[in-house]
Structures are given as C-alpha cells and as structure tokens.
Amino acid sequence: MHFEDIKALLRKRGSSAAGVARDLAVSKQAVSDVLRGTKVSRRVALAISQRVGVPVQRLWPGKYPHLELEQLAASRGKAGACTPSPAQPAAEPAAAIHAAIHQATATRAAKAPRAPRRA
C-alpha cells in the first residue's frame, strides 16, 4: 500500500505519524521511514497496523513475513499455532515459517533487483 494511503488511514482514525512516534517514544523520522517502506521496524509496523485496523501484510506486503504469520494465526483464532501439540512434531512449524520467509524474501528479491552501487 502506498505510504500516503496509510497516512490517510491514520488521519481517518484520528491519529498521525507524529502520534505514533510520540506513543512509541521513537523519532518521527523512524515512523516515516517505516511508512515509506525504507526501514523495517516490527514495533512501529504493528502499532500502525493496530491503529488503522489493517493487517501488516496488506500495508507492506512481503516486508514483515514473521508478523504476517503471527497475524494470520491470530486472525484464525490459533494464537499458539506454532506450539507443537503431542500429535504434531516440533519440526513442522519451524519448517513452515522457514518456507514462508524464504518465499517472501525470494518474491521481494525477484520483484526489485538492486541497482549496482556507485564507487
């Protein structure tokens, strides 16, 4: 989602990037960087997601694969989905998380190849 759309959602909910920064005791620039997608902060992304009522994966697709899995499990009522049960081997959740992270990383890398650095 475009960062201006996220800022508009914040305003519609009676908040702002400055309000998020103040509540989390971080700089306004840190919140702005997360909004624009130039920096990654789990804490800031979650705070924004909760304030606007939109899952992290819709705000920044592929940017926070761990949060996407957590929010998906929580939305399905399975907050402890990664805790193995007696009938479920312990390796399964770890393998599923690893596969999701690998897929998100590979997709992001395929979409946006990096330009060569200047000397």
Side-chain angles (χ1 to χ4, degrees), residues 1-90:
M1 184 178 281
H2 194 272
F3 77 94
E4 288 292 346
D5 295 329
I6 301 170
K7 284 171 47 178
L9 285 172
L10 280 169
R11 284 191 300 273
K12 285 181 184 178
R13 301 284 197 268
S15 188
S16 65
V20 172
R22 188 174 38 255
D23 292 347
L24 296 178
V26 298
S27 69
K28 290 186 273 185
Q29 186 62 48
V31 175
S32 178
D33 289 343
V34 171
L35 283 169
R36 291 176 184 271
T38 57
K39 301 279 184 184
V40 175
S41 169
R42 179 182 195 270
R43 189 167 67 114
V44 174
L46 272 176
I48 293 169
S49 172
Q50 290 169 350
R51 285 186 186 216
V52 299
V54 177
V56 170
Q57 65 263 26
R58 289 213 34 230
L59 297 174
W60 301 281
K63 198 83 165 170
Y64 298 91
H66 287 89
L67 291 178
E68 292 174 17
L69 292 172
E70 288 175 21
Q71 286 187 332
L72 181 61
S75 70
R76 292 183 177 172
K78 299 177 185 176
C82 289
T83 305
S85 65
Q88 179 182 21

